[in-house]
Amino acid sequence: MYIPKLYRMERAEAVQMMKANPFALLVTVDGQRPLATHIPLEIREEDGKIFATGHIAYGNMQKKTLAGNRDVLLVFQGSHAYISSSWYKSESVPTWDYLAVHAYGTARILTGDELKTALASMLERYEAHRENGRLWETFDPEMLAREMKGIVGFEVEITSLEAAAKMSQNRDNADYQSIVTELEKSEEQGDIQVANWLREKRKELF
């Protein structure tokens, strides 16, 4: 991913963005043909390393490209919004503000207790706060055993990150304030999220 220096995201911010936007795109190559699957991932940091765990359907042929693959790509998309140049005080062209992370790494297959731990962790994240949330121990063990036969779990140790926060950093304060004002007039969730991000980065203007 091409990222001008002005828009490069620091590692800690990139990891935070990945955790906040865990529904990612898993990309591998089978021969010369790229394969992609949209899946939720769990991101964790351990001993200075970053790991992503997830699972795909057993019938998904992308499973054949995972074990030992050192060139797995995970694409995370954050907040984004169209930015009209009519919001600037001088003539310019429109653009798009966005957050995106490309995480590259090495994959390995998870089985047995490792897979159970990964699945239980995902349930904990999405169910623990719900009334009558369905955590791992609330399911029938035999049913879980059957369901696990239908998936392939994996873990990617992330070895490099390309992270972009192209969020109007090139605009002066007047244009920046105008962008936030116009975005906040919108009812689109993405527009409001970008406006909130911009406000946070230049708090002194608001």
Side-chain angles (χ1 to χ4, degrees), residues 147-160:
E147 292 293 323
M148 286 177 64
K149 292 179 180 178
I151 63 173
V152 175
F154 65 89
E155 176 183 82
V156 177
E157 180 181 342
I158 295 169
T159 53
S160 67

Side-chain angles (χ1 to χ4, degrees), residues 127-185:
E127 293 285 342
H129 64 285
R130 302 179 190 277
E131 185 177 359
N132 302 316
R134 297 305 306 270
L135 300 177
W136 183 266
E137 60 272 14
T138 69
F139 288 94
D140 174 55
E142 292 185 1
M143 186 273 287
L144 288 174
R146 290 194 303 271
E147 292 293 323
M148 286 177 64
K149 292 179 180 178
I151 63 173
V152 175
F154 65 89
E155 176 183 82
V156 177
E157 180 181 342
I158 295 169
T159 53
S160 67
L161 291 172
E162 294 177 353
K166 180 188 174 298
M167 299 291 268
S168 295
Q169 295 97 323
N170 61 324
R171 308 312 304 185
D172 64 22
N173 287 342
D175 283 351
Y176 198 92
Q177 288 175 309
S178 178
I179 291 167
V180 172
T181 297
E182 295 298 329
L183 287 173
E184 289 180 338
K185 294 177 182 178

Side-chain angles (χ1 to χ4, degrees), residues 20 25 29 35 55 58 97 115 121 139 153 158 168 175 178 180 198 206:
L25 186 65
V29 177
L35 303 174
H55 59 274
Y58 186 81
D97 277 3
L115 179 55
S121 176
F139 288 94
I158 295 169
S168 295
D175 283 351
S178 178
V180 172
L198 294 173
F206 306 96

Side-chain angles (χ1 to χ4, degrees), residues 37-109:
T37 302
H38 300 262
I39 50 171
L41 297 170
E42 281 288 289
I43 308 300
R44 79 177 193 280
E45 297 176 86
E46 187 177 295
D47 298 327
K49 298 179 180 179
I50 310 168
F51 298 90
T53 56
H55 59 274
I56 59 176
Y58 186 81
N60 186 337
M61 289 300 99
Q62 193 172 14
K63 69 183 181 183
K64 296 181 179 180
T65 67
L66 292 175
N69 188 338
R70 303 174 68 87
D71 293 305
V72 172
L73 168 62
L74 303 172
V75 179
F76 298 82
Q77 177 69 64
S79 304
H80 60 93
Y82 176 77
I83 307 299
S84 172
S85 57
S86 67
W87 303 339
Y88 305 152
K89 62 182 182 295
S90 59
E91 187 175 31
S92 187
V93 294
T95 190
W96 207 284
D97 277 3
Y98 65 90
L99 302 174
V101 174
H102 288 188
Y104 296 87
T106 301
R108 67 183 184 89
I109 300 299

